[in-house]
Amino acid sequence: MAILQLSNGKVCGNSSEIVRELALFNVQLQHYSLEAPQHWADLLAEDVLPDLEKRQILELCDRQLESLKQETSYLWSDLLVFHPGSSQLHSISTYNRYHTHKAPEALYLLSGEAIFSFIELDGQQVQLLVQPGDYVQIAAGVEHWFSPTASLEFKAVRYFTTVDGWIPQYTELGELKKLR
C-alpha cells in the first residue's frame, strides 16, 4: 500500500487520507490485488524478462484490470522492468526532473517501489511512495517527477491513451521551486 509524505513531514499510510490529499493534485490512487498464477512471484523476481513472459504479464493485467481500460480509454500498455544493471536505467533520468505530460500518466506497480513527487502552490513537495498493487493516474498537465527508490528495482505496467502522451514536457517552474 502507498505511503504519502506531506510537505510538513507528516506521513500518511491511511488509503482514504492519501486519496483525499492526492485529489488536490488531480492524482488518483487505487490498490488492486491481482489473482496471479503460482510462478508469478518467481517471474517478477527476475531481472530480465523475455518477450513471451512480458506479454503474459501484460495479458494477465489487461484481463484483470479491464475496467480500468474501459473507464480511462487506454489504448495499450507496456511493461517497465528496472534493476541496477538495466539498460533502461539511464532513461529514468528523463522522469526525475519536474515535468508534465500531454495525456494522463497511469502506472500499475507490480514489484519493487517507486516515488512520485508533486508540487504544492507554495513550492513545497509532497512525495508518494508506491508499492506493489498500487495504481496511480496523474491527469494531463500535472507537474511532477518520478524515480525508483534506492534499490533501483521495480516492474510496472504503463498505460497509454496517445502515442506521445508519455513524452515529458519539462517545466522551468518546477526546477525553480526545486532550488528553493
Side-chain angles (χ1 to χ4, degrees), residues 16-33:
S16 59
E17 185 178 3
I18 293 170
V19 166
R20 187 176 59 251
E21 291 288 339
L22 291 175
L24 301 172
F25 297 95
N26 210 2
V27 174
Q28 296 176 17
L29 173 72
Q30 297 172 334
H31 188 84
Y32 296 99
S33 297

Side-chain angles (χ1 to χ4, degrees), residues 6 24 31 44 53 58 68 74 79 83 90-91 99 102 110 118 138 147 161 173:
L6 302 174
L24 301 172
H31 188 84
L44 291 178
E53 281 80 5
L58 287 171
L68 285 178
Y74 295 125
L79 184 65
H83 57 87
H90 74 282
S91 70
H99 63 276
K102 291 180 184 178
L110 297 167
F118 308 98
I138 303 168
S147 179
T161 58
L173 185 57

Side-chain angles (χ1 to χ4, degrees), residues 6-69:
L6 302 174
S7 60
N8 65 6
K10 179 182 175 188
V11 175
C12 304
N14 176 291
S15 60
S16 59
E17 185 178 3
I18 293 170
V19 166
R20 187 176 59 251
E21 291 288 339
L22 291 175
L24 301 172
F25 297 95
N26 210 2
V27 174
Q28 296 176 17
L29 173 72
Q30 297 172 334
H31 188 84
Y32 296 99
S33 297
L34 297 180
E35 294 178 25
Q38 262 185 310
H39 72 286
W40 182 265
D42 293 336
L43 195 58
L44 291 178
E46 294 293 324
D47 282 345
V48 178
L49 294 172
D51 288 341
L52 176 63
E53 281 80 5
K54 286 181 183 179
R55 279 194 303 277
Q56 289 173 346
I57 289 171
L58 287 171
E59 286 170 7
L60 176 69
C61 290
D62 281 349
R63 277 195 313 272
Q64 293 191 28
L65 300 175
E66 179 66 29
S67 61
L68 285 178
K69 190 174 182 180

Side-chain angles (χ1 to χ4, degrees), residues 23 31-32 42 57 61 101 107 112 115 123 144 167 172-173 177:
H31 188 84
Y32 296 99
D42 293 336
I57 289 171
C61 290
H101 296 280
L107 184 116
I115 300 169
H144 65 284
I167 297 172
E172 282 186 42
L173 185 57
K177 288 177 184 178

